[in-house]
Amino acid sequence: MFRLAHLTDPHVGPLARPRLRQLLSKRATGYANWRRGRSRSHDMAVLSALVADLRAQAPDHVACTGDLCNIGLPSEWETARDFLAELGAPETVSFVPGNHDAYVRGSLEGLLETCGPWTSDDDGRTRAFPYLRRRGPLALIGLSSAIPTKPFVASGRLGPPQIAAAETMLRMLAQERDRPCRVVMIHHPPQPGGAAAGRELKDAREFSAMIGRAGAELILHGHNHVGSVAFLPGPDGAGVPIVGGPSASARPGSHEGLPGRRAAYYLYAFAREGGRHAITAQRRGLDGDGTVTDLGPLALTQD
């Protein structure tokens, strides 16, 4: 049995005070939002507790689906690298970026220059999306939906070349004799209606149509800061599960009354059953007392 941990949207802090010239951009509103409340929504002690629990579970691999940064400052790139290193070596951790990692022009390039080893493909190439990593029975396909946007906009886009390349990968993998379990990683919810206007994946319909042709066994994302399960139809008509994770640093009580917002990560187990891959998932995160514990299973099949 192979186990994969999925953690997302850690928004690693603390955030250093920007220089004045660094605020002559979208970062001005982002920094104001951070000072006004976002900094109190993300708790580094909670994040440390989750990471410690994740490491104690000793998964075979870790998927991190973006938003290591807050406003894309150069000072955040080393902090992001240190966080990924705490999760594990580049061979055991796969990262895809989020909108906060591409906050302004140049932010994404700087982050990927620093954290490139965690995005390398099996041939060692870095900073190229989609990438393919084979780990145990899994084929991990990493996509980047991270693009710089205007203030108060947090949308993403894959673009036709990336979607076409992902389809080629997924089709190739499906034709292999010992067919791997294809796990797609992306930051934005990839299905139409998966996020509110201004926060959505702009080419969700194109991505969804591609999955309908090529298929996948599991799609992991973040962005909404809420645990969720949705489905896209695959080529055989069966639903492909799309699982969104909550922010791994959500402070207890910061989203009171909103189900699925409590800080957590998800732990998947993969096993072969005949000619198919059986996938089960458990949620691990904060309980009512602020202790990291087992929060129960995730249902990955449609009723």
Side-chain angles (χ1 to χ4, degrees), residues 159-214:
Q162 193 175 181
I163 292 175
E167 180 167 4
T168 298
M169 280 184 184
L170 289 165
R171 287 182 178 275
M172 173 196 71
L173 293 164
Q175 294 169 1
E176 293 183 1
R177 181 175 182 180
D178 192 16
R179 177 172 171 165
C181 184
R182 300 165 297 168
V183 179
V184 177
M185 301 172 296
I186 183 173
H187 179 69
H188 289 79
Q191 72 276 26
R199 294 179 48 81
E200 78 278 29
L201 183 70
K202 291 293 187 180
D203 41 14
R205 294 190 182 281
E206 291 82 353
F207 175 87
S208 300
M210 181 272 289
I211 292 296
R213 296 188 298 268

Side-chain angles (χ1 to χ4, degrees), residues 17 63 71 75 100 117 124 132 151 157 169 212 261 281 286:
R17 186 179 183 87
I71 59 173
S75 60
H100 281 264
L132 172 62
R157 180 179 288 108
M169 280 184 184
R261 296 276 186 173
L286 295 185

Side-chain angles (χ1 to χ4, degrees), residues 4-270:
L4 172 72
H6 173 218
L7 169 147
T8 193
D9 295 80
H11 291 278
V12 184
L15 183 61
R17 186 179 183 87
R19 297 177 181 177
L20 181 59
R21 61 180 175 81
Q22 292 174 325
L23 293 177
L24 301 177
S25 64
K26 178 181 177 178
R27 288 191 182 118
T29 56
Y31 186 62
N33 287 338
W34 175 265
R35 293 291 301 273
R36 187 163 53 238
R38 181 177 284 271
S39 64
R40 294 186 292 279
S41 297
H42 297 284
D43 189 325
M44 295 305 102
V46 168
L47 180 60
S48 293
L50 251 65
V51 171
D53 185 82
L54 185 155
R55 291 177 64 90
Q57 295 298 315
D60 297 290
H61 201 77
V62 178
C64 180
T65 51
D67 278 4
L68 299 181
C69 296
N70 294 287
I71 59 173
L73 289 170
S75 60
E76 295 186 89
W77 302 338
E78 286 296 330
T79 302
R81 186 196 65 79
D82 291 345
F83 174 76
L84 288 173
E86 187 178 1
L87 288 180
E91 295 77 21
T92 61
V93 179
S94 295
F95 168 68
V96 296
N99 55 292
H100 281 264
D101 301 317
Y103 210 71
V104 297
R105 293 188 183 280
S107 292
L108 181 60
E109 291 78 5
L111 176 69
L112 294 180
E113 178 71 28
T114 306
C115 300
W118 284 269
T119 68
S120 64
D121 65 12
D122 284 340
D123 295 324
R125 294 173 296 183
T126 63
R127 294 172 281 162
F129 298 93
Y131 65 73
L132 172 62
R133 294 179 138 196
R134 297 175 186 265
R135 300 293 186 269
L138 306 188
L140 296 156
I141 297 96
L143 301 176
S144 176
S145 58
I147 56 172
T149 58
K150 297 177 181 179
F152 308 110
V153 177
S155 57
R157 180 179 288 108
L158 292 169
Q162 193 175 181
I163 292 175
E167 180 167 4
T168 298
M169 280 184 184
L170 289 165
R171 287 182 178 275
M172 173 196 71
L173 293 164
Q175 294 169 1
E176 293 183 1
R177 181 175 182 180
D178 192 16
R179 177 172 171 165
C181 184
R182 300 165 297 168
V183 179
V184 177
M185 301 172 296
I186 183 173
H187 179 69
H188 289 79
Q191 72 276 26
R199 294 179 48 81
E200 78 278 29
L201 183 70
K202 291 293 187 180
D203 41 14
R205 294 190 182 281
E206 291 82 353
F207 175 87
S208 300
M210 181 272 289
I211 292 296
R213 296 188 298 268
E217 280 64 59
L218 180 64
I219 302 172
L220 305 177
H221 72 84
H223 191 55
N224 283 343
H225 294 196
V226 61
S228 63
V229 180
F231 297 89
L232 280 176
D236 59 358
V240 177
I242 306 168
V243 183
S247 166
S249 61
R251 183 186 298 275
S254 61
H255 300 292
E256 203 65 46
L258 297 175
R261 296 276 186 173
R262 187 175 294 167
Y265 70 93
Y266 296 160
L267 191 59
Y268 296 86
F270 301 83

